[in-house]
Amino acid sequence: METATATKDPITTMRNVEIKARLAGEEGFERRIAIARQLTGTDGELIVQKDVFFNVSSGRLKLRYLTHKKSELISYDRPDVAGPKLSQYELLELDDPERLERMLASTVGVRGRVAKRRHLFLHEQTRIHLDAVDGLGHYLEFETVLRPEQSSEEGQRIVDTMMARFEIMPDDLVTGAYMDQLSGK
């Protein structure tokens, strides 16, 4: 039996190790933006996102509306733990997100919506997200994208190093998605 490769399969399962941390107000948020600018030598990219989460029986499914590129349907699964965790996800770019939202809303139902302003910085294989989330406050996420040969332990070591650099303490870490926090899960 032949295994699908990235060149044969337009939807490839990806893996990353990630954390999400709550930041103490605007001051903590701005301090982390300064650290990200210094680390990457860039001002990052400001992205306005609107995510629509759908009711699913396992994992999470969200439609991400983007203004700077094609919108995306993202299916992902990760444990709801506070520390570094392995996430497996698939991503599909969309030309007509409104139509897909109507179809999914009428068949599986909408769980909720999340709006945020994201400052995105890239450092080596880690995406640094500094998010201002409507109704929740300020957060930092690291997503260390694993290469096929990399173990989740190697990704965790990278995330641990980034946490130290950005002064993230274990008590700052949160579980789940923004949607979970908004819905009180």
Side-chain angles (χ1 to χ4, degrees):
M1 176 182 222
E2 184 178 83
T3 9
T5 63
T7 56
K8 294 181 182 179
D9 183 1
I11 303 175
T12 302
T13 300
M14 308 278 292
R15 301 175 306 133
N16 67 35
V17 174
E18 60 185 71
I19 60 104
K20 183 187 314 274
R22 183 181 315 275
L23 299 176
E26 188 74 28
E27 181 181 311
F29 185 70
E30 292 299 328
R31 190 168 83 247
R32 281 15 179 266
I33 287 177
I35 293 170
R37 285 180 175 143
Q38 181 182 28
L39 178 65
T40 65
T42 72
D43 286 331
E45 176 182 6
L46 178 62
I47 304 169
V48 177
Q49 296 179 344
K50 180 179 90 171
D51 293 341
V52 180
F53 283 78
F54 297 96
N55 296 317
V56 292
S57 58
S58 67
R60 292 180 176 91
L61 181 67
K62 66 183 171 186
L63 174 59
R64 173 163 287 160
Y65 284 91
L66 298 166
T67 56
H68 67 292
K69 66 177 195 170
K70 286 187 177 187
S71 294
E72 302 165 335
L73 182 66
I74 305 167
S75 168
Y76 65 103
D77 193 23
R78 68 169 183 241
D80 284 333
V81 296
K85 56 199 143 280
L86 180 66
S87 177
Q88 296 187 29
Y89 62 98
E90 292 183 288
L91 185 145
L92 179 66
E93 291 185 332
L94 302 168
D95 290 317
D96 192 354
E98 293 87 0
R99 182 175 181 198
L100 181 61
E101 181 181 352
R102 284 191 309 273
M103 292 170 65
L104 289 171
S106 68
T107 56
V108 299
V110 172
R111 180 167 175 227
R113 300 173 194 285
V114 175
K116 64 182 171 274
R117 293 173 45 91
R118 169 168 284 172
H119 296 265
L120 169 66
F121 295 87
L122 302 173
H123 176 65
E124 297 172 353
Q125 67 192 87
T126 301
R127 294 186 299 245
I128 303 163
H129 302 155
L130 286 144
D131 295 335
V133 184
D134 290 1
L136 288 180
H138 298 92
Y139 291 82
L140 175 140
E141 292 180 344
F142 297 132
E143 294 179 349
T144 297
V145 180
L146 299 176
R147 295 185 295 271
E149 74 278 3
Q150 282 184 299
S151 68
S152 59
E153 292 79 15
E154 188 173 346
Q156 182 165 341
R157 284 191 297 273
I158 294 168
V159 167
D160 289 343
T161 300
M162 294 290 287
M163 285 176 59
R165 179 173 268 158
F166 279 79
E167 305 167 5
I168 300 299
M169 301 282 112
D171 288 348
D172 299 328
L173 300 177
V174 296
T175 62
Y178 296 134
M179 184 72 255
D180 299 331
Q181 292 178 46
L182 285 168
S183 64
K185 179 181 175 186

